[in-house]
Each structure stands twice: as C-alpha cells, then as structure tokens.
Amino acid sequence: MQNKDYMQMAVQEALKAQGMTWTNPLVGAVLVKDDQVLATGYHHQFGKEHAEVNTLSHLADPKQAQGATLYVTLEPCSHYGKQPPCCKKVAEAGIKKVVIGQVDPHQIVAGKGIKYLKNHGVQTEVIGGTENLNVAYNFFYQQERPFVTLKYAMSIDGKINAAGKRRTMLTGDAAQVDVQKLRLQNQAILIGANTLRIDNPLLTVRIKNLPHPPIRIVLTKDANQLDFTSQLFKARGQIWLLSETKLTQKVGENVCCYTASKWTPAKVVQLLAEHEIQSLLVEGGSNIQAQFVAADLVDEIVAYVAPIVLGGTALPAVFGQALTGISHYQLLDVKSLNQDVRIRVRRKECLQE
C-alpha cells in the first residue's frame, strides 16, 4: 500500500464522526509499521480526544508506536484546548514519521504542529488530498465567514411552491433523506417567517442523535408575530430569531432574539462569524434565497428537481430580488434519487483541489 492508500483509510475513519464534531474538524488517523496497520482512530465528538490520541489508545502495547508512521488527515494540534496538544503525544509515543493530509488553516495551529514535531525529531510530510473533508472549516478560517449553502426543491419548471399559502410537497423519500444528510453537515439552518408560517418545518436532523444540533434561525420583521406553537419551537436545540423589533414575550430558554434595524445577508453572516459558526444552510423562502444570491454570499447551491410541472403563478426559486449580473457556479455532481435528481454546484474559488 502507498501513502495515498493509508491516507484514504484515515479519511474513512474521519467520516465516521459526521455531524458529531460541531466546530471541530473531522480528523482520522492510521498508525502503520512494517507495512502493517497497527491501529486506526478518529475524533469521535466535540470536546473528546483527538484522532491521534484515539488511535494510540487502540494499541495493545504503547511501545508498538515506536518507529511507526502515523497518517493523519489534518496537522496535529499544538495548543491546549479541551484536549492537550496532539503533537506532544505523538512525539512522546516515539513515532518516527507523520504523514499529513492537510496543514491546519486555524491560526492557532497553522504549521505550529509540524514545527513542534520536527523540533522533537519526528519526520513530517504533507501530501495533501484531504481538504474536502472539512470544506466549511477550511473556508471559515481562510475567509473569516461561514460557508453558505443554498438548498431548495423545485419542479422541472423551476417552481418551489404552487400558488397559494399551502406547502407543496415536491420530492420523494430518497430526496428527503438526502436533505437530512445535508443538514448534518451544517451548523446553522435559516428560513424566513413566511416559510415558517406556510411549511411549519422542524428543521432538525432526524437521521442521527447529535450532541450539538444545527442552530435553527428564523429571519423576521417582528418576532412577536411568529406562531410559537409551531413545531419548530417544540424540538430540542438552539433557535435564533433575527428580528427588526425586540421580542416582548417570554418563550423557551433555547430561543434567543437578535435585533437589527434591517437584517441583510451580510449582517446574518457577520453574526454567525462572531459566534464562530462555520456553515449556514439557507432553506428558504424564495426572496431570502434571492437576497443571499444578490449579496454574492452563496458558495454552494443544492437543488432537488422533481419530475412535475407546477406552471402558472407558482412561486419560482430565487425570486424577488434583482441581481446586478449573472452568478456563475461550477457543477460538482448530479445524483439520481429515485424519481428526483439532485444537482450540486459550487463557486469556482471554493473548489478544493
């Protein structure tokens, strides 16, 4: 097996923790000696031991690590946080070489882990190739704002809801499950008051029990006009109300109201950045979708296309806000989901090599 094969094993380890690491990155590791895999591990959950330490804990005898090579998807950390620095543990274990999939973009690490290892006699090699594991994490520490994904389901003629004030179910079960997987990858989900009123969504991740579910955000002119009997307010997890007026009534302890004279996409993104939220999923409605596109703050679009025609005065996607020009994206993939199709596009500058 070659370096890339062992690194791919480490990637598969990291993916086991999807949705569990909150603002920490997904990280996996593989320990190899004499062409034999001694142990594998990954960062299981936010606040828990990191991948390197988890891997070492699986050895029958700690002495086995002496002279071994550690493959890790992200540069070992070099600071004291909720866990001690991994680079120190790696050096103390007697590991001969560390092969790294990506240098950590977080300024608190950013090469310091590699420097520590070299200074303590551990060989290092950065081979790249694991950047797609943590797209939002990388983006956040490079661009200093959350990675924004726009998601919607539409008919084959580009409509997201039939005319009227009732929710239109467009896609089938397979697409609904895929949406859950998409939510699993995001730390916040945003809708407008109109979507809350018409769709009455939960906005929860129902395929996995998460210690830190995504923050559910409702953008509204007046928070006091919201229906607090909606099922959104009955589910566990943080809820943020972004309102132009102060909330004057008492609601659940999990509800926080932020006020501004006018909430723009830029202000929303700034608020999230201040709270170190790295990813935002914008689910609706159509006018909010258009506002984020017009503000040039959509990094990826995920569209689920159903083989139906709504026609007439049905509501189009991304509607109600004039754009100054055409927004260009590059195709990531097209996936069949039984009768529906998922199309993913991303800004060229956000594509990982």
Side-chain angles (χ1 to χ4, degrees), residues 161-238:
N161 208 78
K165 300 295 184 180
R166 296 178 60 186
R167 182 181 185 184
T168 305
M169 294 298 296
L170 299 173
T171 55
D173 292 344
Q176 297 296 326
V177 171
D178 198 77
V179 169
Q180 293 290 310
K181 294 177 181 177
L182 182 60
R183 288 178 180 173
L184 187 69
Q185 298 167 23
N186 284 272
Q187 294 163 7
I189 304 170
L190 181 142
I191 61 169
N194 199 44
T195 298
L196 177 65
R197 181 171 59 254
I198 294 173
D199 291 0
N200 191 22
L202 277 167
L203 301 183
T204 54
V205 177
R206 297 182 285 281
I207 57 173
K208 199 169 187 178
N209 185 25
L210 303 180
H212 299 278
I215 299 167
R216 292 163 295 155
I217 304 174
V218 180
L219 194 57
T220 180
K221 286 187 176 295
D222 186 357
N224 297 287
Q225 298 300 314
L226 297 176
D227 180 3
F228 291 105
T229 66
S230 301
Q231 60 178 355
L232 177 81
F233 298 99
K234 299 175 182 177
R236 181 180 67 89
Q238 291 186 65

Side-chain angles (χ1 to χ4, degrees), residues 14-80:
L15 288 170
K16 292 177 181 178
Q18 276 194 324
M20 302 297 290
T21 61
W22 189 227
T23 53
N24 284 358
L26 294 170
V27 185
V30 176
L31 189 65
V32 178
K33 189 174 182 181
D34 299 328
D35 296 324
Q36 297 294 319
V37 174
L38 301 180
T40 62
Y42 62 100
H43 178 39
H44 285 237
Q45 186 175 316
F46 181 76
K48 302 295 184 182
E49 63 184 10
H50 292 180
E52 300 90 333
V53 176
N54 181 250
T55 300
L56 290 171
S57 72
H58 294 152
L59 292 173
D61 183 349
K63 293 181 180 179
Q64 290 179 289
Q66 294 177 6
T69 297
L70 180 70
Y71 292 84
V72 62
T73 58
L74 189 68
E75 175 185 4
C77 67
S78 55
H79 63 287
Y80 284 88

Side-chain angles (χ1 to χ4, degrees), residues 1 25 94 165 290 300 318:
M1 292 178 67
K165 300 295 184 180
E300 182 170 320
V318 195

